Amino acid sequence: MALAGCPDSFLHLPYRIDNVDQTSAHGRRDLVEPGFQEPSNRISLNHQDDDVDLEALVNDMNSSFESLYSACSMQSETAPLLQNGQLSRSQLPSPAPGALQPASPRQRVQRSQPVRIMAVRRLQEEEQQFRTSSLPAIPNPFPELCSPASSPVLAPGSLPQSQPASKHDVKVFSEDGTSKVVEILADMTARDLCQLLVYKSHCVDDNSWTLVEHHPHLGLERCLEDHELIVQVESTMGSESKFLFRKNYAKYEFFKNPMNFFPEQMVAWCQQTNGSIPQSQLLQNFLNSSSCPEIQGFLHVKELGRKSWKKLFMCLRRSGLYCSTKGTSKEPRHLQLLADLEDSNIFSLIAGKKLYNAPAEYGFCIKPNRVRNETKELRLLCAEDEQSRTCWMTAFRLLKYGMLLYQNYRIPQQRKAMLPHFSTPVRSVSENSLVAMDFSGQIGRVIENPAEAQSAALEEGHAWRKRSTRMNILGSQSPLHPSTLSTVIHRTQHWFHGRISREESHRIIKQQGLVDGLFLLRDSQSNPKAFVLTLCHHQKIKHFQILPCEDDGQIFFSLDDGNTKFSDLIQLVEFYQLNKGVLPCKLKHHCIRVAL
């Protein structure tokens, strides 16, 4: 252990004391530093002397150490310190000529005794006051990255703290008016929240659920993209705005059938006024950021600060939405920027005729993110038909997000491909916990073969319908009695929406996506015993009446004046899901409302 105040030669060469017997030939100057004064009563040693009094020499050295330590301890309060707490050699006190006197054994200092220096204690106490915690200081391997730059240690308070992810409460509404408050993390996306609501509501996860940003006071709504952060979107919404949880089958339908969404006369190259993009390369040009496709056509534009609408020639590019000030000219001097794509989102216009006096019901709006409740900065537009409006809104999304939209579309497709064929669509945990059972024997058994389970389900369904038919014949006096089971069993199905109006069925179909095969069933307003099938085909909504008919004392339902008969509406729907029949297309998707 090194002692403060001892000569540096002994700190670096401690072996000299242990090897005194082997250094008898060396001079005294090799054992004692020049700073020590030779005692006058000692006989100088020379190389010719063979006899050395070793014990006297060691005693003199120990006494000199003791005198030096006592002198240094008295001056340690004012002595300057090095970084290791030792005294500087230039500040060592010079001993008196008679300092090397023999000392008593009681006054000798042991070499293993710790040295206490008050100045070091004060520095440690001052350093402890600046520390933010009781943890020891950590040596800083990169002092130039800290503040101050010359700090040799990294204080615990300067270390970055791992902040826990903040949580937020979000209220989500369903189509029937019910709501649920969900606690989410700050980095949760719209897709994550939809999957969470599907799990909590015990719905079938067919990748068509979406979250809708709804502004009732502005008459606007839009479907959130799957990658958008819920907390970030909520920060741009007003106090009256809310989130809706609903189906949207047309969210990525343009990737499957692009020709139905982009009419050829509306798509063109920016460099060529009259050139058109081949349909085979349509989506590639939209997704490729180096290409320059554009959407062009006439739109009704609401003038800012006025109630009037004006029909102008518009073109949508990656840089924004432009209107032509001179006919259909697309020269740069004739194009005026109306809206930017980066800091804006596109919304569907709800009740545009009533709120904004729109010329048609096919309105949409480009809303800047900074706008909450004001209508002054809204760019209100209106198309001539539904196909044109869908084209403009889909192109806006593609030009703004590009490949990010395609990645959102491919993620559920890849997950679906990884699942077994018999397990799709993915159902909730409560529905997956159900198993097929066979009770034909004395002891029930679980049917593990999927094909056998499906066959058992079909047999059970046919047997149940036969029993319901017998109950219908025996339980009612008239086959058209409204209390029969065949006339009420369909009310338990999701695709039946009860007594709603024609306009309400149109609204539900539009909200959940104008795709081919989207349908719902409802009660007929003109005939209390009949039903109506509302079906979407080629972005147009059509209605087909289902009439009851009697045959051999039994009640049946038919779409084609009795040519094809069904005992109940469930059989009718299942048949037209497999066969086109008299309908323009098969029944593919049904409109559904889920209570949260």
Side-chain angles (χ1 to χ4, degrees), residues 34 62 69 120 147 191 213 365 392 419 423 441 460 475 486 572:
N62 290 336
Y69 167 71
V120 177
S147 180
R191 182 192 296 273
E213 179 184 353
C365 170
W392 285 101
L419 296 172
S423 64
E460 180 65 23
S486 60
L572 184 145

Side-chain angles (χ1 to χ4, degrees), residues 482 485 487-499 523 528 531 569-570:
L485 185 59
T487 57
V488 296
I489 188 60
H490 54 266
R491 299 186 182 275
T492 61
Q493 303 300 310
H494 292 296
W495 38 257
F496 188 78
H497 289 252
R499 192 174 297 276
D523 290 321
F531 304 93
L569 295 183
I570 298 178

Side-chain angles (χ1 to χ4, degrees), residues 84-340:
N84 57 2
Q86 295 181 354
L87 290 171
S88 176
R89 179 185 296 182
S90 61
Q91 299 296 332
L92 288 175
S94 301
L100 295 175
Q101 297 294 334
S104 61
R106 295 181 180 180
Q107 297 178 354
R108 293 176 182 177
V109 179
Q110 298 180 1
R111 298 193 180 190
S112 62
Q113 181 177 352
V115 180
R116 299 179 180 179
I117 302 178
M118 299 302 296
V120 177
R121 281 189 176 182
R122 287 188 177 182
L123 289 177
Q124 292 178 352
E125 292 175 358
E126 293 176 0
E127 183 182 2
Q128 189 69 18
Q129 294 177 0
F130 291 98
R131 293 184 179 181
T132 58
S133 63
S134 60
L135 296 176
I138 303 174
N140 181 17
F142 305 102
E144 66 276 3
L145 301 179
C146 301
S147 180
S150 59
S151 176
V153 296
L154 188 62
S158 61
L159 291 175
Q161 300 291 335
S162 58
Q163 298 292 339
S166 58
K167 297 183 178 181
H168 302 267
D169 292 334
V170 176
K171 192 173 185 179
V172 184
F173 292 82
S174 64
E175 292 292 333
D176 59 354
T178 59
S179 62
K180 181 185 291 293
V181 178
V182 184
E183 187 182 57
I184 65 172
L185 299 176
D187 57 348
M188 179 170 285
T189 61
R191 182 192 296 273
D192 299 334
L193 182 56
C194 287
Q195 292 181 347
L196 178 62
L197 293 174
V198 166
Y199 175 80
K200 290 181 176 293
S201 304
H202 308 288
C203 304
V204 177
D205 188 9
D206 55 356
N207 303 316
S208 61
W209 292 98
T210 186
L211 210 64
V212 178
E213 179 184 353
H214 183 65
H215 302 272
H217 54 289
L218 297 177
L220 306 176
E221 68 178 20
R222 75 175 180 98
C223 293
L224 269 66
E225 305 298 342
D226 291 340
H227 64 273
E228 291 190 77
L229 299 179
I230 301 299
V231 177
Q232 184 177 357
V233 175
E234 190 180 24
S235 63
T236 62
M237 298 169 56
S239 58
E240 299 181 2
S241 305
K242 57 184 177 181
F243 288 119
L244 299 178
F245 180 61
R246 72 160 67 128
K247 287 268 191 179
N248 185 11
Y249 296 99
K251 190 171 185 178
Y252 300 115
E253 188 69 17
F254 55 87
F255 285 116
K256 305 175 185 178
N257 302 308
M259 299 180 64
N260 296 337
F261 285 80
F262 301 101
E264 186 176 357
Q265 68 274 10
M266 294 184 61
V267 185
W269 291 99
C270 283
Q271 296 87 350
Q272 301 175 2
T273 305
N274 298 323
S276 61
I277 300 176
Q279 292 290 336
S280 60
Q281 301 179 0
L282 182 61
L283 288 180
Q284 289 82 352
N285 289 320
F286 273 107
L287 297 178
N288 188 7
S289 59
S290 60
S291 62
C292 302
E294 71 173 19
I295 302 298
Q296 61 184 9
F298 284 94
L299 285 175
H300 297 275
V301 183
K302 186 178 183 300
E303 302 182 46
L304 295 179
R306 298 182 181 180
K307 295 183 180 181
S308 59
W309 292 72
K310 189 176 182 180
K311 191 174 183 179
L312 299 174
F313 184 81
M314 312 286 292
C315 61
L316 180 63
R317 300 176 178 176
R318 296 189 186 276
S319 56
L321 178 66
Y322 298 86
C323 69
S324 177
T325 58
K326 185 179 180 181
T328 59
S329 174
K330 294 192 296 183
E331 296 183 10
R333 58 177 180 172
H334 296 152
L335 293 181
Q336 180 181 357
L337 179 65
L338 289 185
D340 188 12

Side-chain angles (χ1 to χ4, degrees), residues 533-589:
L533 171 65
T534 304
L535 177 65
C536 177
H537 178 64
H538 287 172
Q539 297 183 348
K540 295 182 180 180
I541 302 175
K542 301 180 180 180
H543 303 271
F544 302 89
Q545 195 172 41
I546 304 173
L547 297 174
C549 59
E550 183 180 355
D551 188 8
D552 295 335
Q554 297 184 18
I555 182 173
F556 295 96
F557 298 92
S558 177
L559 266 174
D560 51 3
D561 297 331
N563 294 327
T564 308
K565 302 176 184 178
F566 305 94
S567 60
D568 53 43
L569 295 183
I570 298 178
Q571 283 187 348
L572 184 145
V573 171
E574 290 177 351
F575 175 83
Y576 286 106
Q577 284 177 336
L578 301 175
N579 304 276
K580 176 180 176 181
V582 297
L583 299 177
C585 63
K586 298 178 183 179
L587 305 182
K588 188 175 181 180
H589 308 292

